[in-house]
Amino acid sequence: MTSGDVSLETVTAAQAGDRQALEDVLAGLQDRIYALAMRVLVNPDDAGEATQEILIQILTKLSTFRGESALSTWAYQIAVRHILNARKLRDRDLGLTFEMFAADLETGLVADPPAAPDQALLLNELRTSCTMAMLLCLTLDLRLAYVLGDVFELGHTEASQILELTPATYRKRLSRARNEVIAFTSQHCGLVSNQAKCSCPRRLPAAIKSGRVRSGSYPNSAGSPLDYATAKRQIASVVDDLKSFKLQQAVPGQMCPEDIRGRLTRILSHAL
């Protein structure tokens, strides 16, 4: 029997203070927590800082875990509480709206852009980073519901438990978030709608000029199983209501950075 990707036996040993078991518990959760932080916060520095703080909370609260849910569900709940309650994260919120994002996307579009030497890689990075950033236009409560439901594809029961909402309230939030994302992408994203002004190739020169994407640097799309052309074909192949969903699903999973793993190991060394 397992709890998330960590066996209950490992969790029990960790609760008893076994160093290797503690490392195994954190190793089983760190990528999940970082992926959640990245999809909700988008900024890698904010996501990294939040991930470390959340994992330390998980470590200190592990004795309270009773196995009444999957370990990952319990850990996500701690993560969500931290993201909602951390004042420094709220203070860094850009207050972005879909209207602001649309105006930015349509600034500096080039009708017949020249190809960059690493055009395919830059287009994929722009696709990924833009897809992630658009979720910042959702309010934080809607963003969390959308990420858990449509990005992570958790069931309504588990997601509502994580968010500490009734299933009915969760469903309303998820529905509203979906509607807002679909309304935006169907008008402004060239991967979803052929009628949209913005497309990644037309947007790329402005993104390079502003430094939002850089040649030789692909932090959001590194290791992606989909290149830009393949993602475009896959999104185009589904019916309209699923195009926005497919767009978000085409973002690669985020792995916890090695420096965070190293810091957690050092923290464990001093804690035991």
Side-chain angles (χ1 to χ4, degrees), residues 4-70:
D5 289 337
V6 181
S7 70
L8 290 178
E9 291 79 5
T10 299
V11 175
T12 300
Q15 290 173 323
D18 183 287
R19 162 68 182 274
Q20 184 58 56
L22 283 167
E23 289 188 4
D24 291 344
V25 167
L26 291 179
L29 295 172
Q30 57 196 9
D31 286 342
R32 294 172 184 258
I33 298 302
Y34 183 73
L36 175 66
M38 270 297 293
R39 292 312 306 267
V40 173
L41 302 174
V42 179
N43 182 287
D45 292 335
D46 290 346
E49 180 181 341
T51 297
Q52 181 170 310
E53 292 174 354
I54 291 164
L55 290 172
I56 290 172
Q57 287 185 42
I58 289 170
L59 177 64
T60 58
K61 295 178 180 180
L62 189 60
S63 62
T64 68
F65 176 69
R66 296 290 179 261
E68 296 169 352
S69 65

Side-chain angles (χ1 to χ4, degrees), residues 124-188:
N124 207 36
E125 179 64 17
L126 180 58
R127 167 187 71 85
T128 304
S129 59
C130 185
T131 300
M132 294 172 65
M134 75 173 63
L135 294 188
L136 292 174
C137 301
L138 293 168
T139 59
L140 185 54
D141 57 343
L142 296 184
R143 201 183 315 157
L144 283 163
Y146 188 87
V147 168
L148 292 176
D150 276 12
V151 176
F152 289 2
E153 296 185 273
L154 300 184
H156 287 191
T157 300
E158 183 179 10
S160 61
Q161 182 181 352
I162 291 167
L163 294 175
E164 299 180 272
L165 300 171
T166 65
T169 300
Y170 168 71
R171 286 193 293 270
K172 288 179 181 177
R173 286 191 186 179
L174 178 59
S175 177
R176 181 178 170 187
R178 281 176 177 165
N179 290 339
E180 290 189 16
V181 171
I182 290 171
F184 176 80
T185 54
S186 63
Q187 293 183 54
H188 302 289

